[in-house]
Amino acid sequence: MSYNEKFMKKAIAASIKNIEQDGGPFGAVIVKDGKVIATGGNRVTANNDPTAHAEISAIRKACKKLNTFDLSGCEIYSSCEPCPMCLSAIYWAHLDRLYYGNTKKDAANIGFDDSFIYDELDLKPADRKIPSMQKLRDEAIKAFQIWDEKTDKIEY
């Protein structure tokens, strides 16, 4: 598999079409074996869902279509460099490659600045804007112990 300009153009077209449909200026396309599997647009405000970014939407559709949580063998074309959430989802989905158009700096220039999230990740949990405190670990760890001992689990 390798970069194909027509798929990047489809992601860019999806970003423009999405604006016309009351969404944000982001689009993504997932491709497998030279065929589009799924297309997604940013639907955060349209769906009242802060996780409805273009890449996440495309990943959800591709997984449903292929009936799998593992998108190995697929590539994603995004109209913009993914935010931290989307980049994480791309890794969790095991996509083989990522191609993008606009940069995170381009996105920041129009009000989509995710630099605060990168900054937060470098802080200790208690020092973050949303402070985090660990509680009831002795009880919570039980689920991890059960999972670790489970012999018929499906690893991901």
Side-chain angles (χ1 to χ4, degrees), residues 124-136:
K124 292 178 185 175
D127 295 334
R128 294 178 181 157
K129 184 178 178 182
I130 301 174
S132 302
M133 294 141 278
Q134 185 179 23
K135 302 290 183 190
L136 299 177

Side-chain angles (χ1 to χ4, degrees), residues 41-55:
N42 181 290
R43 307 304 295 161
V44 170
T45 57
N47 294 357
N48 292 318
D49 179 355
T51 68
H53 291 199
E55 297 89 344

Side-chain angles (χ1 to χ4, degrees), residues 55-56 59 82-95 98 117-118 121:
E55 297 89 344
I56 301 288
I59 288 169
C83 75
M85 176 183 68
C86 292
L87 183 60
S88 297
I90 288 166
Y91 277 98
W92 282 115
H94 304 286
L95 286 153
L98 160 66
I117 296 173
Y118 292 105
L121 291 171

